[in-house]
């Protein structure tokens, strides 16, 4: 049985990096009229209360979204790069223009930004989070069609590619509780590129002291380049030290890897990442990395 619950981590620095990137990718993909299909292989519960016991116990959002909001408020809205303004704007709108108390996870961010012609297919295996996700999706006011399944996302995606619409985004955000998740992510990417070479993918991974974590981006770069496709890779480190150390608790660094990224994404990230280092950095080890190929 898996023990990971995203409620303890919602709105942390890793979510900020992942979800700000997701918003930018979705905003670009929805510029074209054609229907878009989003597959979220590891969806989580969908919606998180930032004042819940889980969130306040871990206090990870304090060093993530709350630190970003405080930084923007201190330096003025005009100081925030476009990619981060769009992300924060989406969160504010989701909270009815008021304080950000409810934090939407990846399937709900997609549900918010998609249109009538679009659809989201979300996979979540944890029994409690699956139940919560079902309720959240049922109550969502999205214009898009929202579907879910309590199935292994690595397995479930197989029958969904290529989407009928031939326009799609795969969001792959495992908890990496199993060491095998790293190999599964790579295999899924290779298979997805084989079935749907023009689709975009957003993969998140933790930068922890496991060789698999450091090998994953290298292997992804090779696989995507071999398929003749473009990629973008960004990492955000907020402090030195391994997971569980330091004032911010939890993870110290993570990365996003985007396959077939929008051509606008690199410039947006180039502007946003130094701002995130300033806003979320906890010590002098705070840093970012941005690299891309074929875009
Ligand atoms: N993507 C979510 C977001 O950004 O809001 C957070 C997802 S969380 C990092 C990872 C989730 O994957 C957990 O809720 C876990 O229960 C679920 N999970 C783990 N293995 C899975 C699998 N093989 N298929 C589908 N879900 C899985």
């Amino acid at each position: 049985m898996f023990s990971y619950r995203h409620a303890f981590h919602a709105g942390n620095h890793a979510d900020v990096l992942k979800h700000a990137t997701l918003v930018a990718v979705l905003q670009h993909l929805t510029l074209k009229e054609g229907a878009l299909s989003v597959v979220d292989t590891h969806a989580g519960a969908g919606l998180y209360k930032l004042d819940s016991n889980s969130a306040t116990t871990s206090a990870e959002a304090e060093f993530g979204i709350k630190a970003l909001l405080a930084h923007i408020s201190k330096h003025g809205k005009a100081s925030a790069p476009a990619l981060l303004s769009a992300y924060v704007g989406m969160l504010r709108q989701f909270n009815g223009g008021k304080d950000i108390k409810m934090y939407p996870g990846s399937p709900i961010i997609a549900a918010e930004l998609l249109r009538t012609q679009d659809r989201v297919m979300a996979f979540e295996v944890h029994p409690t989070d699956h139940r919560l996700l079902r309720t959240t999706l049922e109550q969502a006011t999205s214009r898009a069609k929202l579907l879910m399944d309590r199935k292994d996302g690595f397995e479930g995606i197989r029958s969904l590619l290529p989407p009928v619409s031939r326009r799609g985004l795969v969001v792959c955000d495992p908890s990496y509780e199993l060491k095998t998740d790293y190999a599964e992510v790579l295999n899924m990417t290779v298979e997805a590129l084989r079935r749907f070479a023009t689709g975009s993918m957003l993969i998140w991974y933790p930068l922890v002291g496991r060789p698999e974590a450091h090998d994953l981006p290298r292997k992804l770069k090779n696989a995507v380049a071999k398929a003749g496709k473009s990629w973008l890779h960004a990492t955000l480190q907020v402090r030195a030290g391994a997971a569980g150390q330091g004032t911010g608790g939890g993870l110290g660094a993570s990365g996003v890897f985007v396959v077939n990224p929008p051509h606008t994404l690199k410039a947006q990230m180039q502007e946003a990442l130094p701002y995130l280092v300033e806003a979320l950095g906890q010590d002098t080890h705070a840093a970012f990395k941005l690299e891309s190929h074929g875009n």
Side-chain angles (χ1 to χ4, degrees):
M1 174 59 75
F2 295 104
S3 60
Y4 181 94
R5 304 291 308 282
H6 198 65
F8 288 91
H9 311 287
N12 68 2
H13 63 85
D15 263 8
V16 171
L17 174 67
K18 178 197 350 172
H19 294 155
T21 309
L22 176 61
V23 169
V25 171
L26 283 173
Q27 285 190 332
H28 185 86
L29 290 175
T30 50
L31 288 176
K32 281 196 185 153
E33 265 310 297
L36 186 69
S37 183
V38 173
V39 181
D40 194 336
T41 57
H42 296 69
L47 193 56
Y48 309 93
K49 272 187 173 173
L50 291 180
D51 62 358
S52 70
N53 278 343
S54 325
T56 51
T57 304
S58 71
E60 289 192 25
E62 299 294 329
F63 298 89
I65 183 59
K66 291 190 184 176
L68 175 61
L69 293 172
H71 192 84
I72 294 174
S73 143
K74 184 172 168 194
H75 295 275
K77 275 188 188 169
S79 74
L83 179 140
L84 297 174
S85 294
Y87 162 60
V88 167
M90 178 278 301
L91 294 177
R92 281 205 204 288
Q93 193 173 330
F94 185 78
N95 282 273
K98 302 194 183 107
D99 284 354
I100 297 165
K101 292 194 171 149
M102 299 301 289
Y103 189 86
S106 52
I108 295 299
I109 293 175
E112 277 293 296
L113 298 180
L114 294 185
R115 309 148 303 170
T116 325
Q117 62 268 46
D118 304 326
R119 59 186 266 156
V120 179
M121 179 70 212
F123 294 102
E124 172 54 50
V125 289
H126 193 286
T128 310
D129 281 352
H130 171 264
R131 195 166 27 81
L132 291 169
L133 178 63
R134 177 180 296 285
T135 309
T136 300
L137 292 181
E138 279 168 4
Q139 291 173 356
T141 52
S142 176
R143 292 173 295 163
K145 187 167 185 181
L146 309 179
L147 302 161
M148 65 171 298
D149 202 340
R150 193 182 153 193
K151 216 182 195 179
D152 176 346
F154 292 125
E155 191 54 44
I157 192 174
R158 287 172 189 269
S159 58
L160 298 176
L161 298 182
V164 179
S165 62
R166 299 274 164 176
R167 298 189 66 239
L169 170 68
V170 175
V171 181
C172 183
D173 178 28
S175 43
Y176 297 92
E177 275 181 287
L178 301 175
K179 220 159 73 168
T180 49
D181 276 352
Y182 297 93
E184 293 262 31
V185 168
L186 180 66
N187 292 340
M188 187 203 70
T189 306
V190 171
E191 178 74 4
L193 278 165
R194 201 179 56 75
R195 288 170 183 257
F196 182 38
T198 54
S200 295
M201 296 182 69
L202 195 168
I203 295 156
W204 176 88
Y205 70 96
L207 264 165
V208 288
R210 266 183 170 178
E212 293 84 357
H214 292 268
D215 286 348
L216 181 63
R218 182 179 53 76
K219 289 181 176 172
L220 286 171
K221 285 177 210 171
N222 288 341
V224 178
K226 201 169 159 195
K229 295 295 162 186
S230 56
W231 54 260
L232 176 145
H233 176 222
T235 63
L236 175 67
Q237 173 161 9
V238 296
R239 63 183 158 76
Q245 294 173 350
T247 45
L251 197 64
S254 73
V256 283
F257 190 91
V258 187
V259 179
N260 289 326
H263 68 276
T264 44
L265 187 61
K266 188 174 184 188
Q268 290 176 310
M269 298 287 276
Q270 189 76 59
E271 204 192 359
L273 287 163
Y275 194 89
L276 285 179
V277 169
E278 253 181 60
L280 310 187
Q282 295 171 31
D283 65 23
T284 54
H285 290 86
F288 75 90
K289 195 165 92 179
L290 178 64
E291 49 181 357
S292 66
H293 169 79
N295 207 296

